[in-house]
Amino acid sequence: MSSVEDIPPEGSDLALRLLRSRNTMIGGTIVGAVLIVAIFAPWLAPYDPTEVNILDNWRPPGGAHLLGTDELGRDVLSRLVSGARVSMLVALTVLAMTMTIGVAAGMIAGWYRGWRDGLIMRTVDVIFAFPEVIVAILVAAVMGPGTATVIVALSLVWWPGIARLARSLVLQVKTETYVEAALACATPTWRIMLRHLLPNIAAPLMIRASLGVGLIIMAEATLSFLGIGVQEPRPTWGGMIRDGLPHLRSDPHLALSASLALGITMIGFNLLGDGLRDVLDPRARR
Amino acid sequence: MLNYSLRRLAALGLVWAVAVLVTFFAVRLVPGDPVMMMLGDQSGNAELAARLRADYGLDQPWWTQLLTYLGGIADGSFGLSYRYVGSTVFDVISGGLRITPVLALIALALAVPLGVGLGILAATRAGSWTDTGVILFLVTGISIPGFALASLLVWLFAVKLALLPVAGWGRPDQLVLPILVLVIPPMAVVARLTRTYMLEVLERDFIRTARAKGVRERLVIWRHALGNTLVPLLTSIGIIFGGLLSGAFVVETIFNIPGLGRIAIDSVLARDYPVTMSIVLLFTAIFTLVNLAVDLLYGVVDPRIRLAGDTA
């Protein structure tokens, strides 16, 4: 392997490689489509996803309701479309919380070292020792099932990973000359952190965060499926699969449409993640 | 090595202590009086309320309650259930104890060899149609959540083809779909890792040496390459086990299997906190023990890791 290969790609070269990567393109297209559906859900959904119409229930796909209706006569397509929005909103909230807590904790640990580092990183180790679903069960037991439970449980599980990454990045960056220069100018610590450290560790953190969105959506769907996540009447894919399963014999479109939507979305996120990793990490490329 | 093991054991003790304290105080953080909940429509009966309060030790100061809690963990009864008044937590979960570990072990026993086989198949035919086919299958297997996969499989095998029962527990044919749903995701993870490690190992010098001195290709793959692939694969067993735990929750919910996962979800919805917390403790204990075993085993198999771990 030549040393030239190890140099990270610049601007146009990177864009070209992204375009050439089949995984990135297919995954990116799927994720992009889901994002557009999520953003424009209120305008795309043909009906109100929560509107109950008992006289019109158990409709098979076709006619006025493209994907039929459920046991309360709610339009399945509208619920599917709105479900994408709910999932994405939960995922972005969790992402914002984990990034804020994780980056702050990781930067403090990496910058100060000493007892703060010990305290934060031992906490991280302890949280890592718990299985994810168990943390969710614990939070659900205390807070009761609901959207807030999902957000708290997933944030609790996800910030330690971000904190570890932020800490290791700060440890790399803090010996750079520009940090020394800032210290020599008696720059306040908060200013060094926000103006000198943060911009220089932001890129890998953003990549890590974007790769996490798919996993968060999957975790949210699982909790909603188990009945301890987002609750009725708010539509979620996990909840729709849960409600549709008992009627798989008579009305398979209920569970199957949500399963396919969730499955294809997850394949999209995974392909995009794999593709980005291949393109951005030249050493992993073969 | 001894030093490293002792430090890991101390860390394990810390995690368990945190788990015990968190579960204990979490229950007391929840608003509402458990005795009133147990009484239901008898809530006006002050005498009964006082008796229940005494039976459950809820009239004691918190540190006495903590000692009782620890005693319950030590003797295996795990205290009393709120939902089934008078029953110990052990009585409530004992049925699940005979189901979930069995399911997880069967799934692990199938997923690892099948995944390794698939990974080798793909790696030795890298770039071919077989490889592409396997990769497509793996991406699908890793991506699709268990319950989405389950609804597709149940619809296909139980409804359309009418080959297998939709749900239930007790007969062998009722095991097929749950095990399938439980096996596919970890199998896909193992296969993907095996393929990656295998491709890496196959480019090493000792493989070239083995081939150059005329070792048969089958031996090169199964002896030289696989041996070196299994070592990094070992670390992923912990992650796979964690996946199997959440898989158990999902599969038991879908197929109506009275395992620990189902009992945990039911107890959350019924606010039977002692049962929920005991299952949380059990799963945490198993998960941390598996991870410890994997790490120690890894140190035995690969001395480089042990050295790195000692200086960290």
Side-chain angles (χ1 to χ4, degrees), chain A residues 117-131 135 156-157 159-161 163-164 167, chain B residues 7-8 10-12 14-16 18 284 287-288 291 295 312:
Chain A
D117 190 22
L119 184 70
I120 291 173
M121 294 330 278
R122 287 302 80 74
T123 311
V124 163
D125 289 343
V126 168
I127 294 177
F128 263 123
F130 287 87
V135 175
L156 207 57
V157 175
W159 75 265
R164 263 191 194 172
R167 176 180 178 271
Chain B
R7 231 189 15 250
R8 286 301 312 265
L12 186 75
L14 175 68
V15 169
W16 286 11
V18 169
T284 306
F287 183 69
T288 46
N291 274 323
D295 284 358

Side-chain angles (χ1 to χ4, degrees), chain A residues 22 122 125-135 137-138 140-145 218 220-223 225-228 231 237-239 241-242 245 248-250 252-253 255-256 258-260 262-264 266-271 274 277 286, chain B residues 14-15 18-19 22-23 26-27 29-31 132 139-140 142-152 154-155 158-159 166 192 196 199-200 203 242 245-246 249-251 253-254 261 264-265 268-269 273 276-277 279-281 283-284 287-288 291:
Chain A
R22 203 173 23 165
R122 287 302 80 74
D125 289 343
V126 168
I127 294 177
F128 263 123
F130 287 87
E132 184 179 296
V133 67
I134 288 304
V135 175
I137 292 283
L138 196 65
V142 176
M143 294 178 58
M218 180 128 142
E220 176 272 315
T222 306
L223 297 182
F225 170 81
L226 289 174
I228 55 178
Q231 299 288 305
W237 293 345
I241 298 173
R242 174 193 182 82
L245 271 178
L248 214 46
R249 202 175 289 278
S250 53
H253 64 279
L256 293 187
S259 296
L260 284 176
L262 184 58
I264 292 170
M266 293 319 305
I267 290 175
F269 271 108
N270 271 321
L271 284 177
D274 288 354
R277 238 189 309 270
R286 52 174 60 253
Chain B
L14 175 68
V15 169
V18 169
V22 165
T23 50
V27 173
L29 249 160
V30 180
T132 313
V139 169
T140 317
I142 291 172
S143 305
I144 297 188
F147 52 95
L149 181 70
S151 72
L152 297 172
V154 170
W155 178 73
V159 177
V166 170
R192 187 154 98 157
T196 312
L199 284 175
E200 241 170 65
E203 282 186 2
L245 289 186
S246 62
F249 277 78
V250 165
V251 161
T253 304
I254 298 169
I265 301 282
V268 168
L269 299 178
Y273 303 121
T276 311
M277 295 310 164
I279 296 178
V280 166
L281 282 183
F283 273 126
T284 306
F287 183 69
T288 46
N291 274 323

Side-chain angles (χ1 to χ4, degrees), chain A residues 59-169:
Chain A
R59 286 286 148 116
H65 299 279
L66 208 57
L67 287 177
T69 59
D70 65 6
E71 60 180 325
L72 297 175
R74 297 175 299 196
D75 182 57
V76 173
L77 179 62
S78 303
R79 290 184 69 72
L80 220 49
V81 167
S82 311
R85 188 180 175 87
V86 173
S87 289
M88 211 57 95
L89 276 175
V90 170
L92 292 181
T93 313
V94 171
L95 203 60
M97 288 186 62
T98 49
M99 285 297 269
T100 313
I101 303 169
V103 171
M107 285 180 79
I108 290 171
W111 180 259
Y112 290 105
R113 306 299 308 265
W115 66 268
R116 295 181 186 85
D117 190 22
L119 184 70
I120 291 173
M121 294 330 278
R122 287 302 80 74
T123 311
V124 163
D125 289 343
V126 168
I127 294 177
F128 263 123
F130 287 87
E132 184 179 296
V133 67
I134 288 304
V135 175
I137 292 283
L138 196 65
V139 175
V142 176
M143 294 178 58
T147 312
T149 297
V150 178
I151 291 171
V152 171
L154 294 184
S155 303
L156 207 57
V157 175
W158 286 85
W159 75 265
I162 304 284
R164 263 191 194 172
L165 180 62
R167 176 180 178 271
S168 70
L169 290 169

Side-chain angles (χ1 to χ4, degrees), chain A residues 4-5 7-21 279-280 282 285:
Chain A
V4 181
E5 288 246 318
I7 298 170
E10 315 239 347
S12 62
D13 180 33
L14 180 66
L16 198 68
R17 289 235 312 265
L18 280 173
L19 282 173
R20 276 203 197 128
S21 154
V279 172
L280 295 174
R285 194 157 45 99

